[in-house]
Amino acid sequence: MRYDCVIVGGGPAGLNAALVLGRSRRNVILFDDDSGRNLVTRESHGFITRDGIQPEEFKRLAHKDIAKYDSVEIKEERVMTINRVSDTHYEITTSEGKTYHSIKIILATGLREQQPNIPDIEKYYGTSLFSCPYCDGWELRDQPLAVIADKSVFELAKKVYTWSKDLIVFTNGEGRLELKDRDRLVAKGIQVREEVIDGLEGENGQLRSVRLEDGTLIDRVGGFVTPLWSHNAQFGKELGCEENEYGGIKTDEYGRTNVWNVYAAGDASLIVPAQVVIAAGEGSAAAIGVNGDLTNEYFDSED
């Protein structure tokens, strides 16, 4: 069987793309190996009618919606290769050793996060330390917070200041904060600590203090960090997709890449801002692009 579209990735972008294509009566298969970066997230915020929902519940409800459309399949398999095999379609192989064929591909593979080099940070990330103030700032409002970053610490601190004025910026010894930006932070009452962070202290994921290299403990109950983001899969690069200025897959407004019949959506293309509602919208746009192109190609053919 040749599918109209294969969707790689089962996060909000891929799920919403599957929903729209199912409603468009397209034969679709979505592959989800359950490796999304929101696995550590307890709640997702900023999505109207779903504010505060747990990611697993979001996925359950999405699968329930998609199940109404019998032309959509969801497979819990990892896609291993995507190859163009002719002028008409791609061949997809999976970790189960199976082969599938599809006219079009949507890459919704998301991102992988690498946390700052701070001992034990993984114990707190997703519970009291986060990356997106728009997603989790409200829950930490007016609390004593840490902003831990290197390259973009000034920009992150400015954003977090909206939710709490009790901030301490930690550069972790990286020395990336320019003097003029440091002065601007201090002028707003934001402390700046440039020492190396030796570790974090707390229990059950709840931060209590930041421990500096000299043993100094600075009380903080939560905060924000800037992970390094990289693609969760390299299919875009392998297929020859161009990148945008942020390192995401470059697309037009309907998810089309520069590569024939390859589309991208969600964090894999946008990268910033990274929110569930934005990723879902990107998935919808890519699905509309796929369906529109399939329709035009059918009417333009001579068959």
Side-chain angles (χ1 to χ4, degrees):
M1 176 180 179
R2 183 177 300 176
Y3 291 88
D4 293 318
C5 185
V6 157
I7 302 169
V8 187
L15 291 168
N16 218 82
L19 176 65
V20 172
L21 288 172
R23 291 179 55 80
S24 301
R25 307 184 73 179
R26 297 300 182 182
N27 293 316
V28 176
I29 186 166
L30 180 149
F31 292 103
D32 180 11
D33 65 357
D34 203 27
S35 63
R37 68 186 183 91
N38 68 351
L39 293 177
V40 300
T41 303
R42 271 60 173 181
E43 295 181 349
S44 296
H45 298 101
F47 198 145
I48 194 71
T49 77
R50 292 292 180 265
D51 192 43
I53 194 170
Q54 296 179 345
E56 285 305 311
E57 176 65 3
F58 180 91
K59 180 175 283 190
R60 185 189 71 79
L61 292 172
H63 282 211
K64 182 180 178 181
D65 286 345
I66 293 169
K68 293 183 291 186
Y69 306 97
D70 57 11
S71 65
V72 180
E73 301 176 50
I74 297 178
K75 299 281 189 181
E76 295 181 354
E77 299 177 35
R78 175 182 287 272
V79 172
M80 305 302 291
T81 63
I82 303 174
N83 293 301
R84 181 175 177 177
V85 295
S86 73
D87 290 336
T88 59
H89 72 283
Y90 288 87
E91 182 179 86
I92 298 92
T93 61
T94 73
S95 55
E96 302 296 318
K98 298 177 182 177
T99 300
Y100 301 85
H101 296 267
S102 180
I103 300 171
K104 298 185 184 295
I105 306 289
I106 294 179
L107 300 176
T109 48
L111 298 172
R112 181 184 297 116
E113 293 179 331
Q114 180 182 338
Q115 300 304 325
N117 186 26
I118 298 171
D120 297 328
I121 193 170
E122 293 83 4
K123 294 180 180 179
Y124 304 94
Y125 189 68
T127 303
S128 55
L129 290 176
F130 306 93
S131 62
C132 174
Y134 291 101
C135 301
D136 300 287
W138 173 260
E139 284 65 37
L140 296 179
R141 66 192 184 280
D142 300 324
Q143 300 296 310
L145 305 181
V147 176
I148 304 171
D150 48 19
K151 295 180 181 178
S152 57
V153 66
F154 179 65
E155 294 300 322
L156 180 58
K158 286 197 302 182
K159 292 185 179 75
V160 177
Y161 191 76
T162 300
W163 286 273
S164 178
K165 305 299 186 286
D166 188 352
L167 300 183
I168 298 179
V169 166
F170 297 87
T171 66
N172 195 27
E174 294 294 332
R176 302 289 181 89
L177 186 61
E178 294 186 14
L179 182 59
K180 65 176 182 178
D181 292 336
R182 188 183 192 282
D183 291 343
R184 291 171 68 186
L185 293 175
V186 171
K188 296 296 184 183
I190 301 173
Q191 296 184 52
V192 178
R193 301 301 298 254
E194 301 189 57
E195 300 96 323
V196 172
I197 296 174
D198 186 56
L200 305 173
E201 297 192 2
E203 55 187 22
N204 298 323
Q206 181 57 57
L207 182 67
R208 187 175 65 248
S209 60
V210 177
R211 186 177 66 253
L212 301 180
E213 197 172 35
D214 65 0
T216 300
L217 292 175
I218 300 177
D219 293 342
R220 300 284 93 182
V221 302
F224 293 88
V225 301
T226 52
L228 292 175
W229 287 336
S230 60
H231 287 283
N232 201 32
Q234 297 299 313
F235 298 124
K237 183 176 181 179
E238 292 167 358
L239 291 167
C241 297
E242 294 179 1
E243 293 187 350
N244 59 34
E245 60 182 308
Y246 300 106
I249 300 172
K250 186 177 181 180
T251 68
D252 68 7
E253 64 270 28
Y254 288 107
R256 302 181 187 93
T257 72
N258 63 300
V259 177
W260 174 84
N261 277 357
V262 176
Y263 305 69
D267 292 351
S269 61
L270 193 63
I271 292 193
V272 289
Q275 281 193 299
V276 171
V277 66
I278 294 175
E282 286 248 311
S284 179
I288 291 171
V290 166
N291 186 64
D293 290 345
L294 285 168
T295 300
N296 290 335
E297 288 159 13
Y298 176 79
F299 276 91
D300 289 343
S301 70
E302 298 179 356
D303 296 337

